[in-house]
Amino acid sequence: MPTTQNNIQLQIIIGNQYNPYLNLSVESSLLDNYLPNTITLFLWKNKQTVVIGTNQNPYSECDVRSLTDEGGFLARRRTGGGAVYHDLGNLNFSFVADKEIYDVKRQMTVIQKALLNYGLETEVSGRNDITYQGRKFSGNAFAKTKHQGLHHGTILIKTDGEKLQRYLKVKPAKLHKHGVKSVASRVINLSEVADITSENIIPHLIKAFEEVYQGKAKTIDFNELCSDEVARQSQYIGSNEYLYGKWKEFNTKKNATFDWGSVEIDIDIDENKGIIKNINIASDSLDPASINLAIEILEDASIHDKPIFPKDNIIVRDIVEMIY
């Protein structure tokens, strides 16, 4: 039965600790455990963390040594997109919704509506940003399972700009695309323009959530979500295997930037057999499924004959064209 406005169930979860691996594990558990006709808003913070997209090479995106030497954390999320910096001056939001009611535009509206309480008129810009007067304060990313969708993002409020710039390695081509000289000049802390904190915005976000979806949200205790399975998953996503694994030996042999994002390819070719024996792709694409499909198509492909691929998939097409 199609979901109607009147039977949508709303849930609010407010995180109470700052471990990125536990927060991401809770978020992942929400995505994997289907609740029909339900949309959940999870609000959370991480301490001193660089979070990279699922297909990104940590060594290309982050000054890993400086980050970890200074007590920070590297984390990898399930969604695509680029690297972001989190600290306690940044509030993160996650919408997890039944696919029938998953609506990115509507979800963005919740954030924008909450900020109107501070007199801030914002706009959705580019692939996945929310901006104020042309400067980014929120980067968003997305994922879907069979039954549910995830939309999460940042709200920069009083983030340490010096550490953000020092830890993140932003490619010159990306800065050039946005017409700026540094990542610091492209982003904005909302506390610079309004009396806003990562605490006093929460009631406004909850109110906006309830107004946009025309219902009363049920509050779920964060601690109740921290099951043994969630704890085990948090250990895995904080492991060296998950964070660094295949990227330790990654050697960029081809790279390019497209409208859909940047891509770096590490490829090994068996010259005797004329086949691709190994390929790994790093990308900030918002569509990690297409990156994985490109890898699958190209693995063991002949270097003499272009493989068959879906012509309507622009990402796969561009990656194949890079090699052939």
Side-chain angles (χ1 to χ4, degrees):
M1 179 183 296
T3 299
T4 65
Q5 181 69 54
N6 293 334
N7 63 11
I8 294 177
Q9 303 299 308
L10 310 182
Q11 294 189 153
I12 289 284
I13 302 165
I14 300 175
N16 59 19
Q17 54 71 57
Y18 313 125
N19 182 316
Y21 309 126
L22 183 58
N23 284 327
L24 288 168
S25 184
V26 166
E27 180 188 72
S28 187
S29 177
L30 291 170
L31 181 60
D32 290 335
N33 290 281
Y34 174 50
L35 291 176
N37 303 342
T38 300
I39 180 166
T40 300
L41 174 58
F42 173 32
L43 301 173
W44 47 288
K45 298 180 190 179
N46 289 333
K47 59 182 179 182
Q48 200 169 331
T49 303
V50 170
V51 185
I52 59 176
T54 186
N55 293 120
Q56 287 194 294
N57 177 357
Y59 302 105
S60 295
E61 305 300 327
C62 172
D63 185 341
V64 174
R65 174 168 291 183
S66 292
L67 175 69
T68 55
D69 283 353
E70 294 172 16
F73 300 88
L74 178 76
R76 184 186 297 278
R77 58 184 188 269
R78 286 174 66 168
T79 57
V84 292
Y85 175 66
H86 293 176
D87 62 18
L88 300 186
N90 171 74
L91 182 67
N92 306 301
F93 61 86
S94 306
F95 293 98
V96 178
D98 183 332
K99 276 190 176 179
E100 293 289 333
I101 54 178
Y102 179 84
D103 183 336
V104 171
K105 183 177 179 181
R106 200 175 186 189
Q107 290 144 204
M108 294 280 203
T109 299
V110 172
I111 309 304
Q112 295 180 279
K113 189 177 183 69
L115 291 171
L116 287 175
N117 290 279
Y118 301 91
L120 302 178
E121 294 190 6
T122 61
E123 60 182 22
V124 178
S125 173
R127 294 189 303 158
N128 61 328
D129 299 340
I130 312 178
T131 62
Y132 175 72
Q133 295 186 348
R135 295 174 68 190
K136 172 181 174 179
F137 66 87
S138 179
N140 294 247
F142 319 95
K144 289 186 178 180
T145 61
K146 182 178 180 180
H147 297 295
Q148 297 199 114
L150 165 67
H151 163 198
H152 59 189
T154 59
I155 304 176
L156 296 180
I157 297 173
K158 199 173 182 179
T159 295
D160 188 326
E162 187 275 330
K163 288 184 177 178
L164 179 150
Q165 182 150 328
R166 186 150 49 88
Y167 295 149
L168 294 183
K169 294 181 179 179
V170 182
K171 297 175 178 63
K174 190 169 186 178
L175 295 175
H176 179 74
K177 177 182 177 182
H178 293 282
V180 297
K181 295 182 178 180
S182 70
V183 65
S185 63
R186 188 187 168 215
V187 302
I188 187 172
N189 271 316
L190 295 181
S191 61
E192 297 173 27
V193 293
D195 185 17
I196 179 173
T197 70
S198 56
E199 288 78 31
N200 69 25
I201 192 178
I202 290 176
H204 294 301
L205 286 166
I206 294 172
K207 182 181 178 184
F209 181 52
E210 293 178 333
E211 289 178 351
V212 168
Y213 288 94
Q214 300 176 27
K216 181 67 177 175
K218 176 183 178 182
T219 300
I220 306 297
D221 187 341
F222 178 82
N223 294 328
E224 292 179 3
L225 302 174
C226 299
S227 64
D228 290 344
E229 177 57 32
V230 165
R232 282 192 292 272
Q233 178 70 3
S234 72
Q235 291 180 344
Y236 171 69
I237 64 177
S239 68
N240 285 342
E241 174 190 359
Y242 181 72
L243 294 173
Y244 305 104
K246 62 184 180 181
W247 303 102
K248 290 181 179 179
E249 306 302 324
F250 188 93
N251 182 19
T252 300
K253 297 188 175 72
K254 294 178 181 289
N255 65 84
T257 300
F258 302 96
D259 288 342
W260 50 262
S262 63
V263 61
E264 298 177 16
I265 298 176
D266 183 3
I267 183 170
D268 290 328
I269 296 173
D270 187 324
E271 300 291 353
N272 293 325
K273 296 181 179 179
I275 62 170
I276 297 171
K277 62 179 182 179
N278 187 49
I279 185 167
N280 199 7
I281 300 175
S283 177
D284 63 356
S285 164
L286 289 170
D287 183 5
S290 290
I291 300 299
N292 294 333
L293 176 60
I295 293 172
E296 182 181 327
I297 289 170
L298 290 166
E299 283 181 334
D300 298 324
S302 167
I303 60 172
H304 305 294
D305 302 303
K306 185 181 294 187
I308 297 173
F309 59 92
K311 299 297 191 294
D312 59 345
N313 189 313
I314 295 172
I315 294 176
V316 174
R317 182 200 68 195
D318 286 343
I319 290 172
V320 171
E321 294 293 340
M322 284 178 67
I323 295 172
Y324 290 87

